[in-house]
Amino acid sequence: MNKFRSIDDFESFKPEISNNKIKILVGMGSCGIAAGADKVYELFNEEISKRGLNGIDLKKVGCLGLCFSEPNVEVQIEDLPDILYGKVDLNFAIRIIEEHIVEGKIINEHIFDKPYIDVLNL
Amino acid sequence: MSVNVIFISSNDPELYHVMVKKLREKNIKQNYQIRRFNAFGLYKYSSILHIYPDNVKYVNVTVDNIDKIIENHLLNGKIVDSLLYKDEIKNNVKIGKLHIYHKQLRLVLRNSGIIDPEDINSYIERNGYRALAKVLKSMKPDDIIEELKKSNLRGRGGAGYPTWMKWNFSKNTENDTKYIVCNADEGDPGAYMDRSVLESDPHSIIEGMLIGAYTIGAKQGYLYVRAEYPLAIKRLQKAIDDAKSYGLLGKNILGTAFSFDLEIRLGAGAFVCGEETALISSIEGKRGIPRPRPPFPSTNGLWNKPTVINNVETLANIPLILLKGGDWYNKIGTTESKGTKVFALTGKVQKSGLVEVPMGTTLREIIYDVGGGILNDKEFKAVQTGGPSGGVIPEKYLDTEISYESLSQLGSIMGSGGMIVMDKSDCMVDVAKFYLQFTVDESCGKCSPCRIGGKQMLDILTEISEGKGDDNTINKLYRISSAMQKASLCGLGQTAPNPVISTLKYFEKEYIDHIKDKKCNSGKCKSLVSYSINKDECIGCQLCAKRCPVDAIVGDKKIAHSIIESKCIKCGLCYEVCKFNAVVMA
């Protein structure tokens, strides 16, 4: 990426937005990592390539604020509600891939309410 | 085609099964995914039912009225008004479509958990650096000051000084060299708001600093981060490097005449370096000790140059204020305190976490609605705000609306945002002792009121916890407190007595119990507690004996046990695990 040479240059810049319809966000602040989020992230990474799944954005994000349920993983799939899973260990991560991502079935456990609305969407 | 999902959160586990059964009877079960979820705010409602994609929320649904929802909503598309969840919108935070959801409003944490903190494009996508572009394009430094003045943003480091005034002093002080510093030396026990923002949204801090630098005329800035935050440091450095490669930091930013560079300085773990004059010393490479103010850093700061020092959370607010306008921001909060505050909600609370609420939210709302109430349904005792400079607030003030003013009236402070919830098993003498031990350890030793006073108070508190005080003990605490408050050099010493004074104010009886009756009712002060086993109640289940870490409990199976006093370390585990109330604490 080149430097922005002027304000207009910057304002007309649109970062490339992925067209992928599935997003997996892993909360990876220090607290999430301490609870094992980095291992969960690696597992997602491996499983996605091992299973040859396409159209998935796997993203590291910061703190979701729900310390009591770390590690937290949010799954966003078009046509399904955004789901925040808490206390995601490696076994549960596999279930997220198999049930939620592949079959489109939200898992009937570990779902936590996101207690806030995105202020930029209002 | 969206999939239909029904989310159920209820105190009654039957509700879920009844829903599944009824939908099966109506032969529409196959159209829905029915899922259990953990809702916020359940303490107020017995249940919450969320229907997607209609995005309708019902509360207080029971097995008796669930038919109404199935018949009307699911089968006929009619909303059941009587059970509908109505978002409680406070007048002071309703701005257009902006409303708080389950008490929270995320301005500072707007990108946390949403963007990839290591990807600058992820930040730009969400209006990142737009405020900087706007400022460079169309605003003069005075316009920015004006906007901040309208917003009434006050410093989030704890003291609540108006940000626009700080910036204005530095702006109006003539000097070729000026600095802006971000104070990220977060050190209060139990507080991690700043770490979270730095780790989750580092560019928002850089953008805030850029706008500040442009306003006051600084060419160099420093991020003073404690070395104990390695991930925050790594992500900040990556953010700085990326911003430089985009031309958003460095020489001639976005092709304008404005140049600004930013460096990270690491704090080596001294709490006092969060005090701004000590922080300046530390950046200058000297020992981190405070100096008297005035002169204030805004005119005589780093290397004696005008220096603005802002807290992380303050800076994170800046881009949003300039994008949405000072008037917009000013509508959120109470008369005196505007905007939101991030709290690190910890201690004996069910849902500990990082919470951002509008000023004016009550302590009860934070602890019960957001935090889900007290852990293990125990009884609430007090909440500690403001860390070692703050105090405890008892139950009768739980409905206090949070603001800088209200908390200091109660003898605590807003502080940087630590909020530790305590239940009946916490001893207030022990709490005061804990915080004082912290400030004694962290006192830099330069001035005697803090160095000697703190130590004296700690000794007295230790005596009280051992049941050794006399009639004069509490008076002595007050006298030393008053001397420390008046004569200490910096905020650390001036506020160090606060935890003691506030626990004395609200829980004096507990101190007297220790001093006169030699009793610690919560069992925290080990010297005043002893455990024994009531032979009539003990059935000899051996649970306590198995759990005892020092093998101080003896007794055969099915025969009453006893505790060997000389071995007992008074940890209280036996008392906690006994199911027959046979272990007695005295």
Side-chain angles (χ1 to χ4, degrees):
Chain A
M1 173 65 205
N2 293 324
K3 263 189 183 181
F4 297 114
R5 301 279 163 210
S6 68
I7 299 172
D8 290 338
D9 197 9
F10 169 75
E11 286 185 329
S12 57
F13 170 69
K14 292 252 180 306
E16 223 173 278
I17 295 172
S18 135
N19 289 322
N20 288 336
K21 288 177 181 166
I22 301 176
K23 290 191 175 71
I24 305 176
L25 315 180
V26 185
M28 291 188 48
S30 305
C31 32
I33 293 172
D38 51 345
K39 295 191 182 74
V40 170
Y41 180 90
E42 277 317 311
L43 185 79
F44 278 131
N45 211 2
E46 284 165 23
E47 289 296 318
I48 288 168
S49 59
K50 205 165 84 188
R51 292 166 195 253
L53 301 173
N54 294 319
I56 300 176
D57 281 344
L58 176 63
K59 223 160 112 175
K60 288 180 191 177
V61 298
C63 170
L64 291 144
L66 307 173
C67 311
F68 69 98
S69 60
E70 294 280 7
N72 295 306
V73 172
E74 187 172 349
V75 179
Q76 301 174 347
I77 303 182
E78 213 176 58
D79 299 330
L80 273 177
D82 295 350
I83 298 290
L84 179 66
Y85 292 114
K87 301 183 179 170
V88 178
D89 60 12
L90 298 181
N91 291 331
F92 196 78
I94 296 280
R95 286 186 65 191
I96 292 178
I97 293 271
E98 289 178 350
E99 296 173 38
H100 194 149
I101 308 282
V102 175
E103 292 179 32
K105 280 186 189 151
I106 300 164
I107 304 169
N108 201 7
E109 282 162 69
H110 294 236
I111 304 176
F112 288 83
D113 194 5
K114 231 170 43 166
Y116 43 84
I117 290 172
D118 183 359
V119 66
L120 292 196
N121 283 343
L122 294 167
Chain B
M1 246 314 260
S2 276
V3 176
N4 297 308
V5 187
I6 300 172
F7 293 100
I8 298 178
S9 180
S10 175
N11 289 334
D12 177 9
E14 272 307 296
L15 190 69
Y16 172 84
H17 298 293
V18 170
M19 184 65 152
V20 172
K21 191 169 151 246
K22 295 209 173 197
L23 290 195
R24 203 170 273 146
E25 278 165 18
K26 299 274 174 203
N27 207 19
I28 52 169
K29 160 97 187 14
Q30 64 280 9
N31 302 342
Y32 294 92
Q33 294 192 12
I34 309 167
R35 300 292 183 256
R36 292 187 192 90
F37 81 117
N38 296 276
F40 278 81
L42 239 197
Y43 111 101
K44 215 181 218 163
Y45 312 107
S46 59
S47 60
I48 295 176
L49 206 139
H50 187 179
I51 301 177
Y52 179 91
D54 310 8
N55 208 16
V56 174
K57 223 170 212 187
Y58 292 111
V59 289
N60 297 329
V61 182
T62 63
V63 288
D64 298 320
N65 61 23
I66 200 166
D67 282 332
K68 273 194 204 169
I69 291 174
I70 297 171
E71 284 299 327
N72 290 295
H73 190 126
L74 300 185
L75 292 173
N76 292 307
K78 274 189 235 153
I79 284 175
V80 184
D81 226 29
S82 59
L83 297 172
L84 197 61
Y85 170 74
K86 305 214 171 49
D87 224 352
E88 295 153 43
I89 300 165
K90 289 191 178 177
N91 293 332
N92 59 355
V93 292
K94 192 182 174 189
I95 310 160
K97 279 199 289 178
L98 175 66
H99 64 277
I100 45 175
Y101 177 65
H102 285 321
K103 315 291 178 190
Q104 294 213 55
L105 177 63
R106 295 199 147 199
L107 305 182
V108 170
L109 303 174
R110 59 192 177 274
N111 294 324
S112 294
I114 296 176
I115 67 166
D116 177 351
E118 295 187 22
D119 176 13
I120 187 170
N121 285 340
S122 191
Y123 179 68
I124 293 175
E125 213 180 292
R126 288 178 56 83
N127 295 343
Y129 291 109
R130 298 268 157 198
L132 174 72
K134 178 180 172 182
V135 160
L136 292 179
K137 199 174 182 176
S138 60
M139 291 175 88
K140 292 192 182 69
D142 282 326
D143 302 334
I144 297 170
I145 300 275
E146 196 50 40
E147 217 52 58
L148 282 188
K149 198 171 170 180
K150 278 192 219 160
S151 76
N152 208 355
L153 172 69
R154 295 165 64 180
R156 296 292 192 251
Y161 194 75
T163 306
W164 75 269
M165 281 172 78
K166 239 186 203 182
W167 286 23
N168 208 30
F169 283 133
S170 292
K171 183 186 77 68
N172 291 338
T173 308
E174 296 274 332
N175 209 310
D176 293 341
T177 313
K178 298 180 187 180
Y179 299 103
I180 182 162
V181 174
C182 170
N183 182 351
D185 192 50
E186 181 175 55
D188 286 4
Y192 51 94
M193 301 74 50
D194 295 349
R195 175 176 62 72
S196 225
V197 175
L198 295 170
E199 286 177 359
S200 307
D201 193 14
H203 285 283
S204 67
I205 308 303
I206 296 175
E207 189 177 3
M209 290 184 79
L210 274 159
I211 294 167
Y214 171 79
T215 310
I216 66 163
K219 292 186 190 68
Q220 178 67 45
Y222 295 96
L223 281 147
Y224 190 83
V225 191
R226 59 190 302 204
E228 293 94 327
Y229 285 177
L231 187 66
I233 293 161
K234 181 186 149 219
R235 289 186 178 162
L236 266 175
Q237 191 56 56
K238 169 100 170 60
I240 291 173
D241 296 344
D242 289 351
K244 273 185 190 163
S245 73
Y246 267 20
L248 290 160
L249 254 183
K251 278 213 170 101
N252 300 106
I253 290 164
L254 296 180
T256 66
F258 172 54
S259 298
F260 178 66
D261 210 347
L262 199 48
E263 278 175 46
I264 297 175
R265 284 286 181 275
L266 300 188
F271 179 67
V272 74
C273 287
E275 195 283 335
E276 57 184 15
T277 59
L279 183 150
I280 286 171
S281 281
S282 175
I283 294 182
E284 288 172 349
K286 298 173 196 153
R287 186 174 158 193
I289 47 174
R291 62 155 174 82
R293 298 177 303 178
F296 286 93
S298 44
T299 54
N300 299 69
L302 257 184
W303 293 291
N304 225 12
K305 307 289 183 189
T307 304
V308 158
I309 301 174
N310 286 137
N311 161 268
V312 170
E313 199 181 324
T314 314
L315 288 164
N317 271 301
I318 301 281
L320 200 62
I321 290 173
L322 287 154
L323 269 185
K324 300 234 178 197
D327 287 331
W328 174 86
Y329 192 85
N330 192 274
K331 286 180 191 155
I332 306 164
T334 67
T335 328
E336 298 291 327
S337 304
K338 299 298 182 185
T340 58
K341 181 75 193 84
V342 183
F343 290 101
L345 183 62
T346 57
K348 308 278 174 62
V349 69
Q350 291 204 14
K351 293 174 177 175
S352 57
L354 210 62
V355 165
E356 184 173 356
V357 292
M359 299 277 191
T361 305
T362 67
L363 288 162
R364 191 185 298 279
E365 287 173 307
I366 296 180
I367 296 166
Y368 286 90
D369 289 337
V370 181
I374 312 301
L375 210 56
N376 302 325
D377 288 324
K378 283 197 181 159
E379 207 177 323
F380 172 87
K381 185 167 192 176
V383 55
Q384 208 279 350
T385 69
S389 306
V392 295
I393 299 169
E395 171 142 40
K396 67 172 169 179
Y397 296 110
L398 271 186
D399 291 309
T400 305
E401 296 190 344
I402 286 176
S403 68
Y404 291 100
E405 289 71 24
S406 67
L407 291 184
S408 62
Q409 266 167 21
L410 292 177
S412 187
I413 58 164
M414 176 81 82
S416 57
M419 190 178 271
I420 302 174
V421 179
M422 296 163 187
D423 67 16
K424 290 282 172 188
S425 67
D426 289 305
C427 165
M428 288 298 133
V429 176
D430 192 58
V431 166
K433 210 173 97 185
F434 167 80
Y435 282 106
L436 214 66
Q437 178 71 59
F438 181 85
T439 36
V440 166
D441 286 346
E442 294 294 343
S443 170
C444 78
K446 184 173 176 178
C447 72
S448 34
C450 176
R451 184 184 67 242
I452 301 170
K455 177 76 173 76
Q456 294 298 318
M457 282 181 73
L458 182 61
D459 287 348
I460 294 174
L461 285 173
T462 308
E463 278 179 25
I464 295 176
S465 73
E466 290 165 354
K468 285 182 191 154
D470 58 37
D471 288 351
N472 206 17
T473 305
I474 290 178
N475 262 339
K476 260 197 252 168
L477 281 178
Y478 276 121
R479 268 172 45 219
I480 304 172
S481 293
S482 156
M484 282 179 79
Q485 287 174 320
K486 286 183 193 137
S488 293
L489 181 59
C490 78
L492 192 151
Q494 289 159 8
T495 60
N498 285 0
V500 181
I501 296 173
S502 77
T503 45
L504 268 173
K505 181 174 171 188
Y506 298 119
F507 299 96
E508 194 181 7
K509 191 179 168 293
E510 228 169 281
Y511 279 80
I512 294 171
D513 285 347
H514 282 71
I515 297 169
K516 289 220 168 107
D517 303 341
K518 321 287 174 205
K519 272 190 85 171
C520 175
N521 288 324
S522 62
K524 278 271 149 60
C525 297
K526 303 287 176 219
S527 335
L528 301 182
V529 185
S530 71
Y531 293 93
S532 59
I533 291 173
N534 180 345
K535 304 254 179 216
D536 297 332
E537 301 290 335
C538 179
I539 62 148
C541 72
Q542 292 195 312
L543 186 60
C544 58
K546 276 181 200 144
R547 295 294 296 274
C548 178
V550 290
D551 296 329
I553 301 179
V554 288
D556 290 326
K557 211 171 182 178
K558 293 189 178 166
I559 296 168
H561 294 5
S562 59
I563 298 174
I564 308 168
E565 274 230 51
S566 58
K567 272 187 161 184
C568 176
I569 55 164
K570 297 170 184 178
C571 67
L573 253 175
C574 51
Y575 179 75
E576 269 173 45
V577 298
C578 182
K579 289 174 185 149
F580 306 94
N581 293 324
V583 180
V584 185
M585 183 175 76

